[in-house]
Amino acid sequence: MLTSAGVEAEAVRPNVDEDAMKAGLRAEGLPVRDQAMRLAELKAVKISQRRPGLVIGGDQMLALGDEAFDKPKDLEGARDHLRKLSGKAHTLETAIVVCENGEPVWRHLARPKLTMRPLSEDFIEQYVEQVGDPLLSTVGAYQLEGLGAQLFNKIEGDYFSILGLPLLPLLDYFRIRGVLPS
C-alpha cells in the first residue's frame, strides 16, 4: 500500500513471538484494541533499535465484543470464524506505531466496524472452498478486496484500515514530518 501511494518502504520481519505476546496481554485482561497497539509498538521498537529512520509497526486484531480472533489455523477454523461472525458486527482494531531510534514517536488506532450478513452453511462451505488457503492469512477469514465483499451488508470505516494499514493518517504524519511534500 505504501509503495502504491508513492512512499518508499521496505518490509522487515520483527521476529516477535506474537502468540506468546498475545497470550500475556490476554492474561493481563487488556482490551483487544490495547493488545493490537502493544503488538504494533513492540514490532516497531524492535526494528527501530536496529535500523535508522522511521519504522512503522502494525497489527490488526478482530474484536467480536470482548473476544479477540486470531488468524484461523486451518480451513475448518476459517469456517468456525465465519459461523461466529455471521449476522454480527465486529471491529478491526488496526494499530500502527512509528518509531525512531527505538522510541515511539507517533501512533494511531483505526477501528473500522463491519457487519456481516447472515450466512448459510452452504454459502460458508462454497466460500471457503472457492477462496481456500488465503483465508488463513486474515483474522476474520475474509478478504474484503475479493469475494469477501459478498459477506457484508454494512461497513463503517476506511478501506485502507480494513486492509490492515490506516494509510491516510500515516501519510498525514509523514507530511508533518517532512517525509512527503505538503
Side-chain angles (χ1 to χ4, degrees):
M1 272 189 264
L2 286 170
T3 302
S4 295
V7 177
E8 283 188 45
E10 175 188 358
V12 178
R13 289 198 176 281
N15 297 323
V16 170
D17 185 347
E18 286 191 47
D19 291 335
M21 184 72 175
K22 285 180 194 176
L25 296 172
R26 289 174 184 163
E28 287 179 40
L30 283 182
V32 179
R33 67 180 173 272
D34 294 340
Q35 294 175 41
M37 188 59 75
R38 285 265 195 89
L39 283 165
E41 184 173 323
L42 174 69
K43 294 172 190 178
V45 166
K46 189 163 185 181
I47 293 169
S48 180
Q49 290 170 338
R50 302 186 316 248
R51 292 178 166 248
L54 298 176
V55 174
I56 305 162
D59 199 78
Q60 184 178 62
M61 298 180 81
L62 187 154
L64 179 63
D66 292 334
E67 182 182 1
F69 280 53
D70 293 320
K71 294 175 184 172
K73 303 280 187 217
D74 53 31
L75 292 179
E76 189 52 43
R79 288 179 187 91
D80 289 341
H81 274 36
L82 294 170
R83 285 182 197 110
K84 286 181 182 178
L85 297 171
S86 176
K88 298 178 182 130
H90 64 273
T91 303
L92 290 175
E93 305 291 1
T94 309
I96 54 173
V97 175
V98 176
C99 285
E100 189 171 30
N101 301 317
E103 295 293 325
V105 294
W106 184 81
R107 61 184 80 236
H108 180 81
L109 178 68
R111 306 185 72 220
K113 183 178 175 182
L114 293 82
T115 303
M116 193 173 282
R117 66 182 183 81
L119 306 175
S120 69
E121 199 57 42
D122 286 343
F123 180 86
I124 290 172
E125 190 57 39
Q126 283 181 317
Y127 176 74
V128 170
E129 283 184 29
Q130 198 167 3
V131 178
D133 286 343
L135 297 176
L136 307 181
S137 67
T138 68
V139 293
Y142 58 80
Q143 293 176 318
L144 188 66
E145 64 273 29
L147 288 177
Q150 294 188 28
L151 302 173
F152 299 95
N153 56 22
K154 186 175 182 183
I155 294 174
E156 301 168 64
D158 82 280
Y159 183 70
F160 298 114
S161 294
I162 293 167
L163 297 184
L165 180 68
L167 183 63
L168 301 179
L170 181 61
L171 293 176
D172 282 344
Y173 175 70
F174 284 164
R175 281 192 223 23
I176 290 166
R177 285 293 305 260
V179 175
L180 294 176
S182 56

